């Protein structure tokens, strides 16, 4: 039973982060591909006697490998940080919504700052032209 739970959790994490994990898999495969290509290039340069080019090929190989390893590590370490960023954005949006809702209370404060004459007009019943004619 524990194995089933562990497997379910693993597959949900893989499904949830499938895009990022696929990028990491591609980067690791690039590392392996460059290692294979480097071996062929070194063998070719030895056969043709152009060993002077190894000064360029070896640093280039390590630059590409270290860049891919670094990028893969960064992607894996920030895998769960995105969830925290999303939660922070959601909380910020909720805060903005509550501020928008509190604006009507500031309008109530403005009503309290009205003069007596203005308050009188606010509570006075407005009559239509038909009502005025009916009273005559």
């Amino acid at each position: 039973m524990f194995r089933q739970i562990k497997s379910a959790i693993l597959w949900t994490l893989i499904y949830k982060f499938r895009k990022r994990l696929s990028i990491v898999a591609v980067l690791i495969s690039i590392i392996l591909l460059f290692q294979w290509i480097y071996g062929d290039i070194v063998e070719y340069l030895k056969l043709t006697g152009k060993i002077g080019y190894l000064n360029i090929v070896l640093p280039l190989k390590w630059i590409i490998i270290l860049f891919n390893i670094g990028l893969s590590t960064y992607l894996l370490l920030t895998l769960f940080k995105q969830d925290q960023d999303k939660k922070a954005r959601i909380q910020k949006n909720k805060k903005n919504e509550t501020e928008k809702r509190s604006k009507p209370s500031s309008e109530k404060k403005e009503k309290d700052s009205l003069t007596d004459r203005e308050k009188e007009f606010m509570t006075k019943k407005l009559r239509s032209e038909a009502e005025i004619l009916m009273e005559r």
Side-chain angles (χ1 to χ4, degrees):
M1 173 126 178
F2 180 72
R3 292 179 94 189
Q4 293 172 340
I5 293 171
K6 185 175 71 170
S7 177
I9 291 171
L10 178 69
W11 284 110
T12 54
L13 287 174
I14 288 173
Y15 180 76
K16 186 176 182 181
F17 301 111
R18 65 186 177 274
K19 184 178 180 182
R20 192 168 274 223
L21 290 175
S22 62
I23 292 172
V24 170
V26 167
L27 290 173
I28 291 173
S29 63
I30 288 173
I31 291 172
L32 296 174
L33 179 68
F34 271 99
Q35 186 66 27
W36 179 61
I37 291 172
Y38 174 76
D40 284 346
I41 291 173
V42 168
E43 186 177 332
Y44 173 76
L45 291 175
K46 284 182 182 177
L47 289 174
T48 58
K50 298 179 181 178
I51 298 177
Y53 289 112
L54 287 176
N55 293 339
I56 298 169
V57 175
L58 184 63
L60 182 66
K61 169 197 152 187
W62 281 108
I63 288 171
I64 292 171
I65 288 175
L66 292 176
F67 173 76
N68 285 337
I69 290 173
L71 187 59
S72 298
T73 305
Y74 171 76
L75 291 173
L76 288 174
L77 290 177
T78 60
L79 194 64
F80 296 104
K81 187 176 181 181
Q82 285 183 340
D83 290 340
Q84 294 171 353
D85 292 342
K86 287 180 183 178
K87 288 178 184 177
R89 276 188 250 131
I90 290 171
Q91 289 176 352
K92 186 177 179 181
N93 289 341
K94 286 182 181 178
K95 183 178 179 183
N96 289 341
E97 288 177 12
T98 56
E99 288 176 359
K100 289 178 183 177
R101 290 180 188 159
S102 66
K103 286 184 181 178
S105 65
S106 64
E107 291 174 2
K108 290 179 184 177
K109 290 178 184 177
E110 289 176 11
K111 286 183 182 178
D112 293 339
S113 65
L114 298 175
T115 64
D116 292 334
R117 180 85 173 146
E118 291 169 336
K119 287 180 184 177
E120 183 183 327
F121 281 118
M122 299 254 320
T123 57
K124 190 174 184 179
K125 183 181 178 221
L126 298 176
R127 298 182 304 172
S128 67
E129 193 173 331
E131 290 175 339
I132 294 171
L133 289 174
M134 294 279 289
E135 286 180 6
R136 288 186 188 175

